[in-house]
Amino acid sequence: MTVSPFDHPLLAGLLGDEEAARHFSVEADIAALLDFEQALAEAQAECGVIRHEAEAAIVKALATFRPDTAKLRAGVATDGVVVPELVRQVKAAVGAPHDAYVHFGATSQDVIDTSLVLRLRQVVDHIGLLLGENVVRLTGLELEFGNRELMAMTRMQPAIPVTARDRIAAWRAPLERHQERLKELSGRLLVVQFGGAAGTLEKLGDKAATVRAALAAKLGLGDAPQWHSQRDGLAEFAGWLSLVTGSLGKFGQDVALMALVGADIKLSGGGGSSAMPHKQNPVKAEALVALARFNAVQLSGMHQALVHEQERSGAAWTLEWLILPQMVVATAAALRLAAELTAQIESLGH
Amino acid sequence: MTVSPFDHPLLAGLLGDEEAARHFSVEADIAALLDFEQALAEAQAECGVIRHEAEAAIVKALATFRPDTAKLRAGVATDGVVVPELVRQVKAAVGAPHDAYVHFGATSQDVIDTSLVLRLRQVVDHIGLLLGENVVRLTGLELEFGNRELMAMTRMQPAIPVTARDRIAAWRAPLERHQERLKELSGRLLVVQFGGAAGTLEKLGDKAATVRAALAAKLGLGDAPQWHSQRDGLAEFAGWLSLVTGSLGKFGQDVALMALVGADIKLSGGGGSSAMPHKQNPVKAEALVALARFNAVQLSGMHQALVHEQERSGAAWTLEWLILPQMVVATAAALRLAAELTAQIESLGH
Amino acid sequence: MTVSPFDHPLLAGLLGDEEAARHFSVEADIAALLDFEQALAEAQAECGVIRHEAEAAIVKALATFRPDTAKLRAGVATDGVVVPELVRQVKAAVGAPHDAYVHFGATSQDVIDTSLVLRLRQVVDHIGLLLGENVVRLTGLELEFGNRELMAMTRMQPAIPVTARDRIAAWRAPLERHQERLKELSGRLLVVQFGGAAGTLEKLGDKAATVRAALAAKLGLGDAPQWHSQRDGLAEFAGWLSLVTGSLGKFGQDVALMALVGADIKLSGGGGSSAMPHKQNPVKAEALVALARFNAVQLSGMHQALVHEQERSGAAWTLEWLILPQMVVATAAALRLAAELTAQIESLGH
Amino acid sequence: MTVSPFDHPLLAGLLGDEEAARHFSVEADIAALLDFEQALAEAQAECGVIRHEAEAAIVKALATFRPDTAKLRAGVATDGVVVPELVRQVKAAVGAPHDAYVHFGATSQDVIDTSLVLRLRQVVDHIGLLLGENVVRLTGLELEFGNRELMAMTRMQPAIPVTARDRIAAWRAPLERHQERLKELSGRLLVVQFGGAAGTLEKLGDKAATVRAALAAKLGLGDAPQWHSQRDGLAEFAGWLSLVTGSLGKFGQDVALMALVGADIKLSGGGGSSAMPHKQNPVKAEALVALARFNAVQLSGMHQALVHEQERSGAAWTLEWLILPQMVVATAAALRLAAELTAQIESLGH
């Protein structure tokens, strides 16, 4: 099934990004879910909540654990989340008597949200690198063509001559601010979620905070109080993703308009047409506009999901799943395309 | 890659719909693209635009044609559409001298848009059946529980007693209007797209209208002037999809709220929790709300895509691809879930 | 206060439409609310639910009734709706003993929703006329310039020559389909809302349906079962509004792009610049794009409001108020601007 | 005209905020536009770009200047912006020979964007205070009821008992993070816009940067390179506004659901019903949900406006005007309502 172009064997070549998408595969998700369960057992043994024998049994079982994915699928259809069935399978792999300490004190949302954050950490690294690459390439473009003249266009009309440097700056400066923003928000985003059934870690008594800190440390995440019904960190990140694609969409639109008018830019490797062999379509530039508008649309849904009722909203939470991974991949794809498009610019200004 | 839950091996069990998703697989898309090319050759031979030998050669080649998908993927990455490379491969399969008559007078958008419409026709059938099934099940619910009393709730407060029939009517009546709307819009939606390079079928001379009508007839679609830059039929259909999921989201929200308050509904088969074995979560009801909000978000993008500049906008067109298939599958999934949820209602009112 | 450009003394000159906005003034709203109360008394007297003396007293009092708007404002702040305080004031004006028959059997939502529909009926007439005017003007444009040549542009690149007629058809054909759609949906939209406290008209016994039909007839609306929690008629209409602005946005975008390239269009009366006196900005064309994108955004909110829980959702209902009037005015403004822009086209093609 | 509830004499009592709306009145806008022109003359005199006599003449004329608003309205309808006509009027008031130095080197966008930022600075102060007030009130709520027991609800089902403190923390903690975010983004948002016709301040030669810094200092804004086509600061701020309303929407939804179930909360001063005098509707809680969903919808439009083509996009810029002021007022209203709602909580938990 390939309903989304980001998953589509053909369309993903243009609109997808393999490295970003990789983190949203079933394999990556399950691996991160199991990382949580292992780190939890280790943290709880370290803090004296469970015995080291239990920890060892869990770690050993997880080392060779292979889930029954057909049952996981059926579990999701019934439970709305994969964790109850996954934990059942892990417990069976661990066996008595230590199975009682698998997933101890945790709830599905702890595992799923933390799994997401673990993968977003890698995504942030990947996207951060792509962002830096774009800044570098635009700087290169400025070095090469910055002094040339361009006709500034305001309200779809020729205004006065400026330099190519001026326009390139309007493409690059927002990216540099996005780098700054990413630093600011990362501390709020990349934190563990661990709260138990209703956020109070009621099974851990006075060891709750210590276990949570140890768990976070083992997973390489920041420690923070549970945020199961507080989704502002994710919505903020989604907003950042859409800021990035929006800025790149402006770049794409500018390039497409220059290609339309024709005098100010020369692009290599444009797309071909099935009816008109003479054409060189600015395909990547157009895709940047499409991805910008796509993320601008999706962002609305991530903010709708802020209305996350009570201690856990199945509806609001599920809405995030439907949206955030695609926003991530759209952003990575846009960054990849923008870097490629910059490399296609053979001439700018005159 | 499984960025979208609709494609996800585990999540699609809850949020997806196999029958609807099937129409958006690469295989289904390519099959429909080739159906177009074959029907075009047949229609053009019938109208005397190409010779019957050419038609025969094309039909024969297509019967055993298997695309090189790696090259198709690379083609999309360069051209933004799959058709130039696909046509190249088909032409190679047909061979000289008849290869010149493959895709004759057509452009990529003709093939892609018509392929979409061909698959939407099947989707409309499928969704129409699911919609009818929901009307039937809600009628059954009314027959079983309609006379029981329910406390009407207005503005989150008890109002006055009504009957279960009254509330069920509020779930069913919109679905019946959606059936009426679907009939009205289908005639505008399920039409062929055939315009050539810029919409004028310039290569077909005075046979343009005849060929288009024959092509439409062969494909089982309505005939209509080209609409390559007029996307109102698709946006209208997207609006209809979101009307359906919105009405089902209201049903889901009502059921979830009844489950919350607890007195007025009894559901079988709720979802389990990894932390609280006693719970019966109204998972399908919540999923209906999530899918309603998802489609409401997406619809905005389909309307942004109405600003389809000039004779063909790569940006606006690509935006549709990113959105419409998911709206379709979300709607089919919601209809499936709603039918299942109705069957889970063991008791309503008292 | 002029937070919205549609209400703004300066910006409404460009972005507003006085005739459409008029129907959303406090005066128009209150007048329609009182029309409902009067027609209700008349219908109930006619059907023998209240006595003719009561009807006469209510009609007489309403003839000279002037609300205390400061108290209405305070009432909205407390009750979330204006009706409880308005009914209190009307009852005081009617006086004992007939005051008991003011608003008899009705609830706030009946009055407010029907008031909205009464005004939408006028809006539909106004917008319908503007739509027809645009079709006429585009036909005029075709008569004048249709045979001239234009370079078709696909994917932001020159394709092949077409005629101005081809492009004008892409602007006009969707408007004609919107006329057809408006006819189809009007019957679903322009219907009375009358259900009482929870939709069952429980105070009217077996006269409920008769009174509702009489009420609808007196107000010039269609009769239909209550739809207080079924908002698909409004969401469908909102979708239609956005289809219209979307099609006009494509027209605006095309004109702006032709103005950018410069060769294919000559516009009179473009906007001036404070820095560059030589410029002629295609202001109305740009405004069409802005209004299209605005409505595409808003539409999402009207579909979110379909998740209207239970028998009345204060949250979902209020969301409609925040959005629908602006969509209406945006659409009327876009139609006005498009007609003006067509008149500004001094030359098209060559 | 009162198309928007934020401007509506009756509805603004519930949904508006006078202090925030005040900054978007015509008077406030024009005052800020004139502040820019005065500060520009002063900065340019200080830097030796214009003579002190010219500065004095401009300052003197502005002191008593009263615009002809009918002409301004007509100017907007033609030019798309108010500035060309406003500058014409100011120049007439200044008279020869100094009129040549009014608005010297500036363009419409400089004045309008800086006017917006000047007013956003006051808005940020106002909203910051309201946010602080909410944190204080929620802390008070915790002090009063924090130790009481509440039933945690997950996925619309009773989970396990927690304390009122736990739920209050989920309402307050995001607000504290929003305070942190506001600090971070303010430095990017509250900066002068000054670039001249196409962003290069071409009329100011080597004094450009000095004049801009002096202008910023006089206006109490940060100095920064022109950002006329880089709208990320505004989109980021819009995202922040929607984060705030989203968090408050969760609070509102929680309160409304507690009111629905009935056992866990006691509210004073609920809204009355015209049909059911016994009801106490949680009107402010519902309004919080409506405003959250409203802003989540609008945010999409502010991100669409990031695709701001070339050196100035009339379409994208106008779209911001249609959206941002309403988001600001919605946020201020939500903060006001949330503070009032907290005060209405007479009892929480048991």
Side-chain angles (χ1 to χ4, degrees), chain B residues 153-155 260 279 286, chain D residues 153-155 260 279 286:
Chain B
M153 306 295 282
T154 57
R155 302 196 80 131
L260 175 73
K279 288 188 72 191
E286 293 173 298
Chain D
M153 306 295 283
T154 57
R155 302 196 80 132
L260 175 74
K279 289 187 69 192
E286 292 174 299

Side-chain angles (χ1 to χ4, degrees), chain A residues 153-155 260 279 286, chain C residues 153-155 259-260 279 286:
Chain A
M153 307 296 282
T154 57
R155 302 197 80 132
L260 175 73
K279 288 188 71 191
E286 293 174 298
Chain C
M153 306 296 284
T154 57
R155 302 196 80 132
L260 175 74
K279 289 187 69 190
E286 292 174 299

Side-chain angles (χ1 to χ4, degrees), chain B residues 4-237:
Chain B
S4 161
F6 302 121
D7 298 317
H8 194 284
L10 307 185
L11 298 176
L14 176 67
L15 299 167
D17 181 79
E18 286 197 26
E19 170 61 19
R22 201 167 59 78
H23 299 298
F24 298 102
S25 67
V26 176
E27 294 72 26
D29 190 2
I30 290 179
L33 296 170
L34 298 178
D35 285 349
F36 177 95
E37 300 293 358
Q38 172 162 341
L40 179 64
E42 293 170 351
Q44 291 183 333
E46 192 174 300
C47 300
V49 172
I50 69 172
R51 291 173 51 195
H52 282 288
E53 289 84 348
E55 175 201 3
I58 293 169
V59 170
K60 189 180 166 205
L62 286 172
T64 58
F65 177 75
R66 289 293 170 276
D68 177 334
T69 52
K71 284 191 181 164
L72 292 180
R73 181 181 171 93
V76 172
T78 304
D79 302 330
V81 282
V82 73
V83 176
E85 173 59 26
L86 183 67
V87 167
R88 223 169 283 139
Q89 294 183 19
V90 173
K91 285 187 171 183
V94 171
H98 300 306
D99 57 352
Y101 303 103
V102 171
H103 187 69
F104 181 74
T107 196
S108 295
Q109 191 167 7
D110 296 333
V111 198
I112 291 176
D113 278 349
T114 301
S115 160
L116 175 66
V117 171
L118 284 169
R119 292 172 291 138
L120 289 184
R121 187 185 49 189
Q122 296 180 271
V123 158
V124 161
D125 286 348
H126 173 54
I127 287 184
L129 285 173
L130 287 172
L131 191 51
E133 174 68 19
N134 273 278
V135 170
V136 167
R137 291 205 185 186
L138 289 170
T139 304
L141 206 65
E142 184 186 332
L143 288 172
E144 195 168 357
F145 304 114
N147 293 328
R148 293 204 192 168
E149 192 177 296
L150 263 184
M151 177 54 69
M153 306 295 282
T154 57
R155 302 196 80 131
M156 308 297 268
Q157 291 288 290
I160 58 170
V162 295
T163 62
R165 168 169 296 107
D166 295 311
R167 189 170 274 190
I168 295 168
W171 299 336
R172 193 186 55 214
L175 302 189
E176 292 169 343
R177 285 192 291 274
H178 300 330
Q179 292 178 315
E180 182 181 314
R181 290 178 178 112
L182 183 59
K183 269 185 216 147
E184 291 169 1
L185 71 82
S186 289
R188 286 185 287 266
L189 177 69
L190 301 178
V191 296
V192 74
Q193 159 59 30
F194 185 46
T200 54
L201 290 173
E202 80 289 352
K203 292 195 182 157
L204 300 185
D206 58 6
K207 292 191 174 164
T210 326
V211 169
R212 199 188 63 211
L215 173 63
K218 284 181 189 300
L219 293 170
L221 297 177
D223 182 28
Q226 59 81 7
W227 45 276
H228 57 180
S229 68
Q230 306 165 40
R231 315 304 286 181
D232 51 296
L234 293 177
E236 180 185 28
F237 180 56

Side-chain angles (χ1 to χ4, degrees), chain D residues 90-170:
Chain D
V90 173
K91 284 187 171 182
V94 170
H98 300 305
D99 57 353
Y101 302 103
V102 171
H103 188 69
F104 182 75
T107 196
S108 295
Q109 193 168 6
D110 295 333
V111 197
I112 290 175
D113 277 351
T114 302
S115 160
L116 175 66
V117 172
L118 284 169
R119 292 173 290 137
L120 289 183
R121 188 185 49 189
Q122 297 180 269
V123 159
V124 161
D125 286 347
H126 173 54
I127 286 183
L129 285 173
L130 288 172
L131 191 51
E133 175 68 19
N134 273 279
V135 171
V136 166
R137 292 204 185 187
L138 289 170
T139 305
L141 206 65
E142 184 185 332
L143 289 172
E144 196 169 357
F145 304 114
N147 293 328
R148 293 203 192 169
E149 191 177 296
L150 264 184
M151 177 54 69
M153 306 295 283
T154 57
R155 302 196 80 132
M156 307 298 269
Q157 289 287 289
I160 58 169
V162 295
T163 63
R165 168 169 297 107
D166 295 311
R167 189 171 275 189
I168 295 169

Side-chain angles (χ1 to χ4, degrees), chain D residues 285-303:
Chain D
E286 292 174 299
L288 287 176
V289 176
L291 291 166
R293 299 214 179 279
F294 176 78
N295 264 0
V297 166
Q298 304 308 315
L299 180 57
S300 175
M302 287 299 294
H303 278 247

Side-chain angles (χ1 to χ4, degrees), chain A residues 5 52 65 94 122 129 141 154 172 189 191 208 270 286 313 319 324 327:
Chain A
H52 282 288
F65 177 75
V94 171
Q122 296 179 270
L129 285 174
L141 206 64
T154 57
R172 193 186 56 214
L189 177 69
V191 296
E286 293 174 298
S313 165
L319 184 56
L324 188 61
M327 291 189 74

Side-chain angles (χ1 to χ4, degrees), chain C residues 186-207:
Chain C
S186 289
R188 287 186 286 266
L189 177 69
L190 301 178
V191 295
V192 73
Q193 159 59 29
F194 186 46
T200 55
L201 290 174
E202 80 289 351
K203 292 194 181 156
L204 301 185
D206 58 7
K207 292 191 173 163

